[in-house]
Short mmCIF file of all heavy atoms in Angstrom, two decimals:
data_model
loop_
_atom_site.label_atom_id
_atom_site.label_comp_id
_atom_site.label_asym_id
_atom_site.label_seq_id
_atom_site.Cartn_x
_atom_site.Cartn_y
_atom_site.Cartn_z
N PHE A 501 -19.02 7.41 -10.51
CA PHE A 501 -19.97 8.60 -10.63
C PHE A 501 -21.28 8.06 -11.11
O PHE A 501 -22.36 8.48 -10.61
CB PHE A 501 -19.42 9.63 -11.55
CG PHE A 501 -20.45 10.68 -11.91
CD1 PHE A 501 -20.61 11.76 -11.08
CD2 PHE A 501 -21.20 10.58 -13.06
CE1 PHE A 501 -21.63 12.69 -11.36
CE2 PHE A 501 -22.15 11.54 -13.38
CZ PHE A 501 -22.38 12.63 -12.55
N GLU A 502 -21.32 7.29 -12.21
CA GLU A 502 -22.57 6.83 -12.76
C GLU A 502 -23.30 5.94 -11.81
O GLU A 502 -24.58 6.00 -11.69
CB GLU A 502 -22.29 6.14 -14.09
CG GLU A 502 -21.79 7.06 -15.16
CD GLU A 502 -21.55 6.41 -16.51
OE1 GLU A 502 -21.52 5.13 -16.50
OE2 GLU A 502 -21.47 7.12 -17.53
N GLU A 503 -22.63 5.14 -11.04
CA GLU A 503 -23.30 4.32 -10.07
C GLU A 503 -23.94 5.14 -9.00
O GLU A 503 -25.03 4.85 -8.54
CB GLU A 503 -22.25 3.34 -9.45
CG GLU A 503 -22.79 2.46 -8.34
CD GLU A 503 -21.72 1.74 -7.63
OE1 GLU A 503 -20.69 1.33 -8.30
OE2 GLU A 503 -21.83 1.53 -6.41
N GLN A 504 -23.19 6.17 -8.51
CA GLN A 504 -23.71 6.92 -7.35
C GLN A 504 -24.72 8.01 -7.82
O GLN A 504 -25.67 8.19 -7.16
CB GLN A 504 -22.47 7.66 -6.68
CG GLN A 504 -21.55 6.69 -5.98
CD GLN A 504 -22.15 6.05 -4.75
OE1 GLN A 504 -22.99 6.61 -4.07
NE2 GLN A 504 -21.78 4.76 -4.53
N ALA A 505 -24.44 8.66 -8.88
CA ALA A 505 -25.36 9.74 -9.33
C ALA A 505 -26.70 9.22 -9.68
O ALA A 505 -27.72 10.00 -9.48
CB ALA A 505 -24.74 10.45 -10.53
N LEU A 506 -26.82 7.99 -10.08
CA LEU A 506 -28.13 7.41 -10.47
C LEU A 506 -28.59 6.36 -9.47
O LEU A 506 -29.42 5.51 -9.82
CB LEU A 506 -28.05 6.82 -11.82
CG LEU A 506 -27.53 7.74 -12.96
CD1 LEU A 506 -27.45 7.00 -14.32
CD2 LEU A 506 -28.51 8.90 -13.12
N SER A 507 -28.11 6.46 -8.25
CA SER A 507 -28.39 5.38 -7.25
C SER A 507 -29.71 5.52 -6.59
O SER A 507 -30.21 4.59 -5.97
CB SER A 507 -27.25 5.38 -6.18
OG SER A 507 -27.22 6.65 -5.54
N GLY A 508 -30.33 6.68 -6.66
CA GLY A 508 -31.66 6.86 -6.05
C GLY A 508 -32.79 6.40 -6.91
O GLY A 508 -32.55 5.83 -8.00
N ALA A 509 -33.97 6.55 -6.40
CA ALA A 509 -35.14 6.18 -7.19
C ALA A 509 -35.15 7.06 -8.43
O ALA A 509 -34.82 8.18 -8.38
CB ALA A 509 -36.41 6.38 -6.32
N LEU A 510 -35.62 6.43 -9.57
CA LEU A 510 -35.52 7.13 -10.86
C LEU A 510 -36.27 8.42 -10.85
O LEU A 510 -35.83 9.49 -11.36
CB LEU A 510 -36.12 6.23 -11.95
CG LEU A 510 -35.91 6.74 -13.41
CD1 LEU A 510 -34.37 6.94 -13.68
CD2 LEU A 510 -36.51 5.78 -14.38
N GLU A 511 -37.43 8.49 -10.17
CA GLU A 511 -38.22 9.71 -10.20
C GLU A 511 -37.54 10.82 -9.37
O GLU A 511 -37.92 12.00 -9.47
CB GLU A 511 -39.61 9.45 -9.62
CG GLU A 511 -39.69 8.92 -8.20
CD GLU A 511 -39.61 7.39 -8.19
OE1 GLU A 511 -39.19 6.77 -9.16
OE2 GLU A 511 -39.99 6.82 -7.13
N ALA A 512 -36.63 10.40 -8.47
CA ALA A 512 -35.95 11.45 -7.64
C ALA A 512 -34.70 11.93 -8.28
O ALA A 512 -34.05 12.94 -7.81
CB ALA A 512 -35.55 10.77 -6.22
N VAL A 513 -34.27 11.33 -9.38
CA VAL A 513 -32.99 11.76 -10.07
C VAL A 513 -33.26 12.93 -10.97
O VAL A 513 -34.19 12.89 -11.76
CB VAL A 513 -32.43 10.57 -10.86
CG1 VAL A 513 -31.24 11.09 -11.65
CG2 VAL A 513 -32.04 9.43 -9.96
N ASP A 514 -32.51 13.98 -10.80
CA ASP A 514 -32.59 15.15 -11.69
C ASP A 514 -31.58 14.93 -12.87
O ASP A 514 -30.40 15.15 -12.65
CB ASP A 514 -32.20 16.45 -10.90
CG ASP A 514 -32.44 17.71 -11.68
OD1 ASP A 514 -32.05 17.77 -12.91
OD2 ASP A 514 -33.05 18.63 -11.19
N LEU A 515 -32.10 14.49 -13.98
CA LEU A 515 -31.23 14.07 -15.05
C LEU A 515 -30.49 15.27 -15.63
O LEU A 515 -29.32 15.16 -16.12
CB LEU A 515 -32.05 13.48 -16.20
CG LEU A 515 -32.66 12.11 -15.85
CD1 LEU A 515 -33.53 11.56 -17.01
CD2 LEU A 515 -31.58 11.14 -15.54
N GLN A 516 -31.01 16.46 -15.55
CA GLN A 516 -30.32 17.69 -16.06
C GLN A 516 -29.05 17.96 -15.17
O GLN A 516 -27.98 18.10 -15.72
CB GLN A 516 -31.25 18.87 -16.07
CG GLN A 516 -30.56 20.12 -16.66
CD GLN A 516 -31.57 21.22 -16.84
OE1 GLN A 516 -32.74 21.11 -16.49
NE2 GLN A 516 -31.11 22.39 -17.36
N ARG A 517 -29.29 17.86 -13.88
CA ARG A 517 -28.12 18.10 -12.97
C ARG A 517 -27.08 16.95 -13.14
O ARG A 517 -25.89 17.19 -13.20
CB ARG A 517 -28.58 18.08 -11.48
CG ARG A 517 -29.13 19.42 -11.04
CD ARG A 517 -29.01 19.57 -9.55
NE ARG A 517 -29.44 18.42 -8.79
CZ ARG A 517 -30.64 18.22 -8.25
NH1 ARG A 517 -31.53 19.20 -8.36
NH2 ARG A 517 -30.94 17.17 -7.54
N ALA A 518 -27.58 15.73 -13.25
CA ALA A 518 -26.66 14.58 -13.39
C ALA A 518 -25.83 14.71 -14.70
O ALA A 518 -24.65 14.41 -14.70
CB ALA A 518 -27.43 13.26 -13.38
N THR A 519 -26.51 15.15 -15.76
CA THR A 519 -25.81 15.20 -17.08
C THR A 519 -24.75 16.35 -17.04
O THR A 519 -23.64 16.17 -17.52
CB THR A 519 -26.80 15.50 -18.18
OG1 THR A 519 -27.77 14.47 -18.19
CG2 THR A 519 -26.15 15.61 -19.55
N ALA A 520 -25.14 17.44 -16.36
CA ALA A 520 -24.18 18.59 -16.28
C ALA A 520 -22.95 18.16 -15.45
O ALA A 520 -21.85 18.45 -15.76
CB ALA A 520 -24.82 19.80 -15.70
N ALA A 521 -23.24 17.48 -14.35
CA ALA A 521 -22.14 17.02 -13.46
C ALA A 521 -21.23 16.03 -14.16
O ALA A 521 -19.95 16.07 -14.04
CB ALA A 521 -22.69 16.42 -12.20
N ARG A 522 -21.81 15.12 -14.98
CA ARG A 522 -20.98 14.11 -15.70
C ARG A 522 -20.14 14.82 -16.69
O ARG A 522 -18.98 14.48 -16.96
CB ARG A 522 -21.93 13.14 -16.42
CG ARG A 522 -21.16 11.92 -17.00
CD ARG A 522 -22.24 11.07 -17.70
NE ARG A 522 -21.55 9.81 -18.10
CZ ARG A 522 -20.71 9.67 -19.21
NH1 ARG A 522 -20.45 10.72 -19.91
NH2 ARG A 522 -20.21 8.53 -19.55
N ARG A 523 -20.67 15.85 -17.40
CA ARG A 523 -19.93 16.62 -18.40
C ARG A 523 -18.67 17.24 -17.72
O ARG A 523 -17.64 17.32 -18.32
CB ARG A 523 -20.82 17.63 -19.01
CG ARG A 523 -20.18 18.31 -20.24
CD ARG A 523 -21.16 19.36 -20.85
NE ARG A 523 -22.39 18.76 -21.26
CZ ARG A 523 -23.57 19.07 -20.77
NH1 ARG A 523 -23.65 19.97 -19.74
NH2 ARG A 523 -24.66 18.41 -21.13
N GLN A 524 -18.91 17.87 -16.53
CA GLN A 524 -17.80 18.46 -15.86
C GLN A 524 -16.74 17.48 -15.43
O GLN A 524 -15.55 17.71 -15.54
CB GLN A 524 -18.34 19.21 -14.62
CG GLN A 524 -19.17 20.42 -14.91
CD GLN A 524 -19.54 21.18 -13.63
OE1 GLN A 524 -18.65 21.64 -12.89
NE2 GLN A 524 -20.83 21.31 -13.36
N LEU A 525 -17.22 16.33 -14.97
CA LEU A 525 -16.28 15.23 -14.62
C LEU A 525 -15.45 14.80 -15.83
O LEU A 525 -14.23 14.61 -15.73
CB LEU A 525 -16.99 14.08 -13.94
CG LEU A 525 -16.15 12.85 -13.58
CD1 LEU A 525 -15.07 13.22 -12.55
CD2 LEU A 525 -17.01 11.74 -13.14
#
Side-chain angles (χ1 to χ4, degrees):
F501 170 84
E502 293 183 342
E503 174 189 327
Q504 293 291 326
L506 304 177
S507 60
L510 188 59
E511 59 271 18
V513 174
D514 187 314
L515 292 178
Q516 185 174 359
R517 279 206 311 265
T519 301
R522 188 182 189 283
R523 189 180 302 116
Q524 291 185 59
L525 177 62

